[in-house]
Amino acid sequence: MKLDTVAGKKVLVTGAAMGLGKLFAERAVREGAAAVVLWDINEAALKDTAAELTGRGGNIHHFVVDVSVPEAIAEAAESVRAEVGTIDILVNNAGIVRGNSYFWETENRADIEKTMAINAHAPMYVTLEFLPAMVAGSTQARVLTIASSAGLVSNPRMSVYAASKWAALGWSDSVRIELEQAGHDHVTVTTVCPTYINTGMFDGAKGFLFTPILDQDEVVDTSWREMKNGTPLVILPWTSRLNKALSGILPIKLRDLFLNSVGVYRSMEEFTGRKK
């Protein structure tokens, strides 16, 4: 069932201090959400975003949360339920990326655990805190998970990131099917798989054939609209859908030849990431 607006809804966004997360929170404030809950590990940026959105008329609640730690998620969720109540719209946006080297050249092995914890495990733990109440309720509710096109095709120099996003996509879409199977049509799950976005997170990464670096506002606008529509899967841009389709039908050698020739397999060679 389509949701025209989040007006009157309670919205929670992870990774909300900057980038896509901040833009999602802005959309919620703009549409008149009853409350907007911001989670982020960056306390200074989080406070600035909370103050800015409060100044725009939003009912903002912000929590410093390290979503790589399940206990921190559980503690923050309990505080949200006490302070705000149940959540109607959950945006699993928090994510990190490590890349540019081959897997066997990994120097900091903690990056593996951190990447999987934030990109793959956190959406599960966060959703598990709020989904039961959504299911038990009767009003329209949404779970929006930002995965990645890296979860659709293999990509060198970002193997752990790709693994984390394959996991996020598989989990998120499976939960969608579970909700449909159980007859909870008032709760829908939308999974978004974009290519590289100009948030700074993928600085140095290169676009490939017919696939420029995506504009963050356009990604958020599309994701927000399709989340309200209850669209199951959003793949951005169309070339990523084509790559996925061809990867599914071509023999592996031809698939590799195609993805290498259009630039996918070379897209992370000059990756630097966001400057700290």
Side-chain angles (χ1 to χ4, degrees):
M1 185 180 298
K2 184 177 179 180
L3 182 66
D4 292 325
T5 177
V6 303
K9 299 286 189 181
K10 297 171 184 175
V11 181
L12 188 151
V13 183
T14 67
M18 61 182 69
L20 299 186
K22 181 179 179 181
L23 294 175
F24 281 122
E26 288 176 352
R27 301 305 189 276
V29 169
R30 190 182 306 161
E31 288 189 16
V36 181
V37 181
L38 314 178
W39 281 15
D40 206 288
I41 195 172
N42 187 330
E43 184 172 6
L46 181 63
K47 287 182 176 178
D48 288 344
T49 295
E52 180 182 337
L53 296 180
T54 298
R56 297 185 189 182
N59 177 17
I60 306 299
H61 305 258
H62 65 282
F63 299 82
V64 178
V65 187
D66 182 352
V67 295
S68 71
V69 180
E71 293 78 12
I73 291 173
E75 182 179 342
E78 187 60 36
S79 297
V80 168
R81 286 189 288 268
E83 186 175 314
V84 181
T86 58
I87 295 299
D88 304 298
I89 311 290
L90 172 61
V91 181
N92 288 311
N93 167 75
I96 63 170
V97 59
R98 301 288 185 267
N100 189 248
S101 62
Y102 292 126
F103 179 72
W104 61 87
E105 297 172 338
T106 300
E107 295 180 356
N108 186 358
R109 297 192 176 197
D111 279 348
I112 299 173
E113 194 167 322
K114 184 71 77 171
T115 298
M116 296 304 295
I118 294 175
N119 295 356
H121 300 162
M124 301 180 193
Y125 285 116
V126 174
T127 302
L128 197 54
E129 290 292 338
F130 301 106
L131 184 57
M134 294 180 181
V135 170
S138 58
T139 59
Q140 288 287 305
R142 297 287 187 270
V143 177
L144 172 63
T145 299
I146 305 302
S148 169
S149 287
L152 300 172
V153 297
S154 305
N155 203 0
R157 296 182 181 267
M158 60 187 316
S159 59
V160 177
Y161 179 80
S164 71
K165 293 302 187 177
W166 281 48
L169 171 58
W171 161 77
S172 184
D173 205 43
S174 294
V175 173
R176 172 189 66 82
I177 298 168
E178 289 175 348
L179 288 164
E180 292 178 0
Q181 193 175 73
H184 301 302
D185 297 335
H186 64 290
V187 185
T188 63
V189 174
T190 297
T191 312
V192 181
C193 295
T195 52
Y196 306 131
I197 310 171
N198 66 350
T199 61
M201 185 174 174
F202 278 99
D203 280 355
K206 296 181 293 185
F208 34 95
L209 185 65
F210 302 125
T211 310
I213 303 298
L214 297 174
D215 178 74
Q216 58 182 340
D217 280 293
E218 292 180 3
V219 171
V220 169
D221 285 342
T222 300
S223 302
W224 191 254
R225 180 183 67 248
E226 298 306 324
M227 174 271 292
K228 291 190 293 184
N229 289 341
T231 302
L233 181 63
V234 180
I235 300 175
L236 301 169
W238 67 270
T239 49
S240 194
R241 295 194 295 274
L242 175 63
N243 291 342
K244 172 62 175 174
L246 291 176
S247 296
I249 60 176
L250 292 175
I252 288 179
K253 288 296 184 182
L254 286 179
R255 179 202 71 183
D256 289 349
L257 179 64
F258 168 72
L259 292 177
N260 189 58
S261 66
V262 299
V264 174
Y265 284 178
R266 300 291 179 181
S267 61
M268 286 290 285
E269 290 180 338
E270 298 175 19
F271 168 81
T272 58
R274 181 180 284 119
K275 308 298 187 295
K276 294 185 179 179

